[in-house]
Amino acid sequence: MDKEQVAAILAEIGQLLELKGENPFKTRAYANAARTIESLTEPLEKLVAEGRLGELKGIGQALQEKITELVTTGRLPYYEELKASLPPGLVALLEVPGLGPKKVKALHDKLGVDSLEKLEAVCREGRVAGLPGFGEKSQARILEGIELKRRYASRHLLSDALAVAEPLLEELRAHPEVIRCSIAGSLRRWRETIGDIDFLVSSRKPGAVIGFF
């Protein structure tokens, strides 16, 4: 697993912990670690192999172990268990534009919202506007966000798209007729959600490369 995938998972762990109401210092530690990993100028795999993760600012022992596990095995049981401990509908609410972990948690705690359908219902009933920190404008923006989410329902989270794209990229680069290959489109621009996975490929025999798929 490369640095982009690791950073995306660390950032998501921070969000999931915030949804559970964990210590803010802990949630920020994961968010900061994600930014640190994402901005690395040397291969993450090299740092792991040489045992140098501890040289990175804000990467303590616990994070070093998790990052090492992600890089070497491609999995992290802690992340999988954390995700499974929350209602699936609650996690999906993070995909609604304008809704962060704090607001999702407040909606769940105060109004029992744990799905997109329930969120839309309480908004249309005007109950969200009465919550501290929300108001009429927030309620209207949430309804707009729900509409946007439905409109782009075929889109996927960045971390999920990367998990599919990276192995394909390596196979393309190994193809004998490929000169150069890189990820393109919204995935290259690090958009939060991805519709299509695009590759930019240079080849003297494009037909052979197209046939690869």
Side-chain angles (χ1 to χ4, degrees):
M1 188 174 285
D2 62 22
K3 71 172 187 177
E4 286 82 8
Q5 291 171 296
V6 171
I9 288 174
L10 291 176
E12 190 174 348
I13 288 174
Q15 288 187 318
L16 295 174
L17 289 172
E18 196 169 349
L19 272 180
K20 289 178 72 73
E22 289 282 353
N23 187 311
F25 292 104
K26 187 175 182 180
T27 63
R28 280 198 294 271
Y30 279 93
N32 292 338
R35 285 191 288 270
T36 297
I37 296 300
E38 188 179 345
S39 63
L40 285 175
T41 55
E42 61 179 309
L44 176 59
E45 297 86 347
K46 185 171 183 287
L47 288 175
V48 169
E50 296 175 357
R52 294 167 49 214
L53 285 175
E55 297 175 6
L56 302 177
K57 184 179 179 181
I59 307 295
Q61 185 61 38
L63 276 166
Q64 289 176 47
E65 292 172 1
K66 289 179 175 65
I67 292 168
T68 298
E69 190 168 1
L70 280 169
V71 170
T72 56
T73 71
R75 293 183 62 242
L76 183 61
Y78 173 77
Y79 165 65
E80 294 163 6
E81 291 164 10
L82 179 62
K83 203 168 184 178
S85 71
L86 290 160
L90 199 64
V91 176
L93 292 180
L94 291 171
E95 298 172 26
V96 176
L99 272 188
K102 286 182 181 178
K103 286 194 171 182
V104 170
K105 186 176 187 305
L107 288 164
H108 180 256
D109 292 347
K110 302 292 184 182
L111 300 177
V113 172
D114 59 5
S115 69
L116 198 64
E117 292 73 24
K118 286 185 181 179
L119 176 60
E120 183 176 21
V122 294
C123 280
R124 296 201 181 282
E125 291 166 5
R127 297 168 63 194
V128 172
L131 293 178
F134 284 84
E136 295 285 349
K137 288 184 179 179
S138 290
Q139 184 171 268
R141 282 196 295 269
I142 290 171
L143 284 170
E144 290 172 3
I146 292 171
E147 178 58 32
L148 281 172
K149 176 172 166 50
R150 285 181 174 149
R151 194 180 305 165
Y152 296 102
S154 61
R155 298 181 72 82
H156 305 279
L157 290 176
L158 174 64
S159 58
D160 294 334
L162 280 169
V164 174
E166 290 292 344
L168 287 173
L169 181 64
E170 292 305 313
E171 289 187 37
L172 275 170
R173 284 174 172 166
H175 194 288
E177 302 302 336
V178 170
I179 299 171
R180 286 185 301 275
C181 180
S182 62
I183 289 172
S186 56
L187 188 56
R188 184 182 66 81
R189 294 191 295 273
W190 283 85
R191 296 293 177 85
E192 290 184 4
T193 59
I194 309 298
D196 300 307
I197 295 175
D198 301 308
F199 296 100
L200 186 62
V201 182
S202 175
S203 172
R204 293 189 181 90
K205 296 182 179 179
V209 179
I210 292 171
F212 171 77
F213 286 97

